[in-house]
Amino acid sequence: MDALWMLSVLLVLSVLLLTSSTFVFYFKKFFYVAYMMALAVIAIPICILKCGGRDIENMRVIRFMVRHVKYFLGLRFEISGLQHLQTDGPYVIISNHQSSLDVLGMMEVLPDRCTTIAKKELMWAGTVGMICWLGGIVFINRKKTSDAKNVMCDAANKVLADKIRLWVFPEGTRNQKGDLLPFKKGAFHLAIQAQVPIIPIVFSSYNNFYKRKEREFNSGTITLKILPKIETKGLTADDVTSLADQSYGIMRSAFLEISGKTPQSNGPSSH
């Protein structure tokens, strides 16, 4: 009887997965969150045993454990420009931000001794929040500008002192509108203060396979284009706006190119 019941459930699931795009959307979303939390349960003790607690070296463990998740979601990545990450010393990576799926692309190319800046709410996301903390992720309160500036200042000092790399999303929030949002200035203040180069990474649009409003989540290919580094040596706080605008321009052009989109009018950086 139990076997028959299980067979019936599997049959219903199979029919729904084949016929209902909305069911597929929610099923994949639930699976993604649940599976990442389960992976974190395994990774937490490994990270504690390996490094004794919070340490950027734990990102190696996280990277290793997450890289296979794309296969379960039917995603693949095409990557170009990996040679641009072969840069010695610290630097700041900036990329566009469309959804939590960005984590999968990040883990495809994440260099050693690199962590990211994330919203403070993520710290309370159960086992995922714990593994993020163990990986040395820098948490920022986006609602308090003064706190955010202090975190960025501390992050710049940490980049220099510990010779680490930081991954920042200058749009400041997730965006799936088919273009880039204006950039906030924090990442550029950070890079100039630390006098380290910026390496832009662009994710192609997810709209051909993932549409949140329409409840669609199909298989698809994501293109990651790593652009040449932008030097900041000799730049001062007066150059932040021009640096942000320069970065925005080259990243938006790359985004439209790899996404097969037509250029539209859009603003550069914001304050």
Side-chain angles (χ1 to χ4, degrees), residues 80-87 91 199-200 225-229:
S80 64
L82 267 174
Q83 70 275 12
H84 298 309
L85 289 176
Q86 309 304 314
T87 299
Y91 47 79
I199 299 180
K225 187 168 186 177
I226 304 166
L227 303 174
K229 66 181 178 182

Side-chain angles (χ1 to χ4, degrees), residues 228-247:
K229 66 181 178 182
I230 302 170
E231 292 289 355
T232 66
K233 284 187 178 178
L235 299 184
T236 68
D238 293 335
D239 301 304
V240 165
T241 298
S242 60
L243 178 63
D245 290 348
Q246 176 191 359
S247 302

